[in-house]
Amino acid sequence: AGCNKDDDNNTNEPTLYTRLGGLEGISKVTDQFLANVAADSKINERFVATVADPYRLQLLRNNLIDQICAGSGGPCQYKGKTMLEAHTGMNISTDEFNALVNDLVASMTYYKVAEQEQSALLAILGPMQSDIVGK
Ligand code: HEM
């Protein structure tokens, strides 16, 4: 709602979702992110079973896209587990968390996402660390 054509956030500024290129931009970044993770020897052991199962990989991809879309102000609903539920029992280290974030940053840089948008997305994901690391 509101009297602007930019977006639906009641300001004249486009949402982060729009600045990331909407669902198309987010999908591209997510696919490269997953490719980077699969190639990242620091963490790819964690994803062996996921990568081996096309259905499971597709589900993870869709959940990540929905999560980024919803978190950045887009018209999606995240339907996956909470971050605590999803990562409990894995005992993920801070180094592993940072490696995964670096794989996301590399994907955004590859697709020429600007510094401001990179930081804005990381600011949304960063607070999830306490529900993911050491659980
Ligand atoms: C900000 C950081 C992270 C985010 C936003 C994130 C997000 C997610 C999401 C959305 C799911 C799917 C939940 C569901 O199935 O309902 C998931 C699952 C998973 N995550 Fe994370 N995650 C993060 C960090 C990590 C790290 C650091 C690791 C390990 C190095 C990791 C390993 C996994 C694994 C193994 C799964 C299960 C995949 C499957 O179902 O096959 N995650 N994560």
Side-chain angles (χ1 to χ4, degrees):
C3 300
N4 68 78
K5 291 175 183 151
D6 295 311
D7 231 314
D8 197 26
N9 63 350
N10 290 320
T11 78
N12 291 313
E13 297 298 321
T15 58
L16 177 59
Y17 168 78
T18 296
R19 290 186 280 129
L20 289 170
L23 220 38
E24 195 189 338
I26 290 169
S27 299
K28 281 198 253 180
V29 164
T30 301
D31 285 337
Q32 187 60 45
F33 169 44
L34 285 169
N36 292 347
V37 167
D40 186 342
S41 60
K42 289 198 184 93
I43 55 173
N44 59 9
E45 281 286 316
R46 296 282 194 176
F47 295 91
V48 167
T50 311
V51 171
D53 179 344
Y55 173 80
R56 207 165 144 176
L57 184 58
Q58 191 66 25
L59 193 63
L60 179 61
R61 175 186 187 268
N62 290 340
N63 277 328
L64 287 169
I65 291 170
D66 282 343
Q67 189 181 42
I68 294 170
C69 171
S72 63
C76 306
Q77 207 195 331
Y78 176 66
K79 308 171 210 74
K81 297 172 187 164
T82 66
M83 289 300 91
L84 187 60
E85 285 167 350
H87 302 94
T88 289
M90 293 186 192
N91 200 16
I92 292 167
S93 70
T94 303
D95 280 358
E96 288 180 301
F97 184 86
N98 291 336
L100 180 133
V101 169
N102 284 340
D103 292 336
L104 174 59
V105 167
S107 173
M108 291 194 285
T109 299
Y110 179 78
Y111 281 111
K112 301 193 171 12
V113 173
E115 194 70 46
Q116 193 187 334
E117 282 68 39
Q118 293 200 17
S119 300
L121 182 56
L122 295 184
I124 292 167
L125 301 181
M128 297 174 182
Q129 177 164 359
S130 59
D131 283 341
I132 294 171
V133 169
K135 302 293 168 184

